[in-house]
Amino acid sequence: MFKFDFASSTGSADHAGDSENDKKAEADRMIAKMAERARMSANSCKLLNTSSASTDKVKSCVPERVDLHSSSIDGLHYYFLPQHTELSEKNTDLIPGVYEGGLKVWECSLDLCRFLAHIMDESTVSDCQNVTEAVRRSIGNGGSAFELGCGHGLPACLLLRESVRRHTDSVVVFSDFNDFVLRDVTIPNALLNVVCSLYSQQDNDSVVDDASQVLLRQSIFAGGDWMGLSRKLSQNEVLLPASQSEKRVVHERFDVILASETTYTTESCQDTAYLMSEHLKVDIGVGLVATKRFYFGVGGGADAFSQAADKVSESQSPGLRLVVKTIQSYDTGNANIRDLLEVRLVKSNQ
């Protein structure tokens, strides 16, 4: 004789509901911890003063060059600094909680630079309409961009340089865990690339001083925990250095947020997704995450970031969610596959 259990379907539905509630509760706990971290680290977030940056390196050192594989967008320049006095360990890419790899030019950063150059080349047609519009808006008047864990900051340097070349007033925020990386690598790189742009326009001895003024008017260099910077942005506490009297506040939401190799652990994936949710412009802002598909042994990578974005969305403001899609992949056949992800913060009904 067959026995029918009509309660089983109801039990399954209840179990599914409990599972969704558990996921939501876990996401809420994660976001609460991040919010507390932001509150606790806000005071330790340092905004570096670029006016005191030495220009001697720009005038005397021979930099490295990055070919962007573009016929209309010039290559980038950077200073190679293999070792630093702040580091006690030699030949290391990462010391968790101490040094986050900013002295190295990571390959995903170069992928992102070349993609941006392609997008900004107005003679090319891109299939990524949302990305194209956001990137071009970010280098126009009133535009804004934010690079997470920037290290050398080459993608953000490219956007800043192209803004200068177009004579616009867009703002670029560079952030890195280590102050010394910003001071000794990122700021000199930004200054160098702006100098190169100005030389092509005016070719005189004042370009280094003019480039320094550009950095004061159009850029922020923030050291420390991203969460502290996030808190400062949300509280309207980030002012452009050259506008202290005018109180030109950097708005908390950006046209473009850039991230290269910031997804190497599960926790860093969650941090990156959280910053995207807090600081992308709704519907029109675009995040670009350049990542390896897998970071073996540490849990990060493209899939881990997508899962983190879903988890953050579980606790997002009502009606908003992060949407992630792969827009480019790089496979040399003999190394870890690299992916470029597009991230958008959209209304849930889209």
Side-chain angles (χ1 to χ4, degrees):
M1 178 181 293
F2 293 104
K3 182 178 180 181
F4 297 97
D5 185 359
F6 294 104
S8 60
S9 60
T10 304
S12 298
D14 290 342
H15 179 73
D18 290 342
S19 177
E20 288 300 315
N21 290 335
D22 289 345
K23 287 170 58 179
K24 178 68 165 61
E26 182 182 356
D28 287 344
R29 287 192 295 271
M30 180 188 74
I31 297 299
K33 287 181 180 179
M34 290 180 175
E36 177 62 13
R37 197 173 113 204
R39 188 182 69 81
M40 296 296 292
S41 60
N43 289 337
S44 61
C45 173
K46 297 179 183 177
L47 304 183
L48 276 66
N49 184 357
T50 61
S51 63
S52 61
S54 172
T55 60
D56 292 342
K57 183 181 286 188
V58 174
K59 295 177 179 178
S60 61
C61 292
V62 178
E64 304 288 328
R65 186 177 185 278
V66 175
D67 185 354
L68 297 181
H69 303 167
S70 171
S71 60
S72 64
I73 305 293
D74 293 338
L76 288 166
H77 300 85
Y78 69 94
Y79 293 109
F80 178 60
L81 193 63
Q83 186 58 36
H84 199 281
T85 55
E86 295 276 353
L87 298 176
S88 58
E89 297 184 33
K90 306 288 186 181
N91 303 318
T92 181
D93 286 340
L94 182 70
I95 306 172
V98 176
Y99 164 63
E100 296 293 333
L103 297 179
K104 180 175 180 178
V105 177
W106 297 88
E107 55 193 345
C108 287
S109 174
L110 302 183
D111 292 337
L112 182 50
C113 287
R114 289 169 180 143
F115 178 81
L116 289 169
H118 174 75
I119 289 293
M120 288 186 289
D121 184 347
E122 295 181 359
S123 66
T124 64
V125 178
S126 172
D127 295 332
C128 307
Q129 183 178 352
N130 292 323
V131 177
T132 300
E133 291 176 355
V135 169
R136 293 181 181 176
R137 189 170 55 249
S138 76
I139 58 175
N141 283 319
S144 60
F146 181 8
E147 184 169 4
L148 305 176
C150 64
H152 278 262
L154 295 182
C157 283
L158 177 57
L159 295 185
L160 179 61
R161 189 195 71 184
E162 292 304 302
S163 170
V164 171
R165 194 166 71 87
R166 289 163 169 78
H167 305 286
T168 64
D169 65 356
S170 66
V171 174
V172 179
V173 176
F174 298 78
S175 68
D176 196 88
F177 183 78
N178 297 111
D179 297 357
F180 69 85
V181 169
L182 291 165
R183 183 184 65 240
D184 297 332
V185 174
T186 320
I187 293 174
N189 285 347
L191 189 61
L192 173 64
N193 284 287
V194 172
V195 163
C196 291
S197 178
L198 292 176
Y199 259 128
S200 69
Q201 297 174 24
Q202 60 194 56
D203 191 19
N204 62 51
D205 293 338
S206 70
V207 291
V208 174
D209 292 335
D210 291 345
S212 297
Q213 288 302 309
V214 167
L215 264 58
L216 289 171
R217 291 195 307 270
Q218 295 185 229
S219 61
I220 294 287
F221 296 85
D225 192 332
W226 300 344
M227 297 301 167
L229 176 57
S230 174
R231 172 86 172 187
K232 283 182 176 290
L233 286 166
S234 298
Q235 298 290 320
N236 294 323
E237 295 177 1
V238 179
L239 303 178
L240 286 164
S243 68
Q244 295 293 331
S245 60
E246 303 169 11
K247 300 292 185 185
R248 188 181 175 195
V249 177
V250 177
H251 194 271
E252 67 174 312
R253 293 200 177 269
F254 293 82
D255 293 300
V256 170
I257 298 180
L258 308 168
S260 300
E261 308 264 13
T262 65
T263 54
Y264 51 87
T265 66
T266 301
E267 292 76 16
S268 64
C269 287
Q270 293 171 353
D271 287 354
T272 303
Y274 176 79
L275 267 291
M276 296 277 178
S277 71
E278 290 294 299
H279 298 294
L280 274 176
K281 289 182 178 178
V282 178
D283 291 335
I284 60 173
V286 167
L288 292 171
V289 178
T291 176
K292 291 183 176 68
R293 188 162 294 181
F294 305 104
Y295 290 86
F296 297 102
V298 287
D303 287 345
F305 174 76
S306 294
Q307 292 166 11
D310 288 341
K311 190 172 183 179
V312 168
S313 294
E314 288 283 341
S315 189
Q316 185 52 262
S317 301
L320 295 176
R321 63 187 175 94
L322 288 173
V323 175
V324 181
K325 72 175 182 179
T326 303
I327 54 175
Q328 194 91 3
S329 293
Y330 308 87
D331 185 0
T332 62
N334 58 4
N336 197 342
I337 299 172
R338 307 187 303 276
D339 291 319
L340 182 60
L341 310 178
E342 173 193 338
V343 186
R344 296 177 61 217
L345 181 64
V346 302
K347 296 182 177 66
S348 296
N349 57 1
Q350 293 186 23

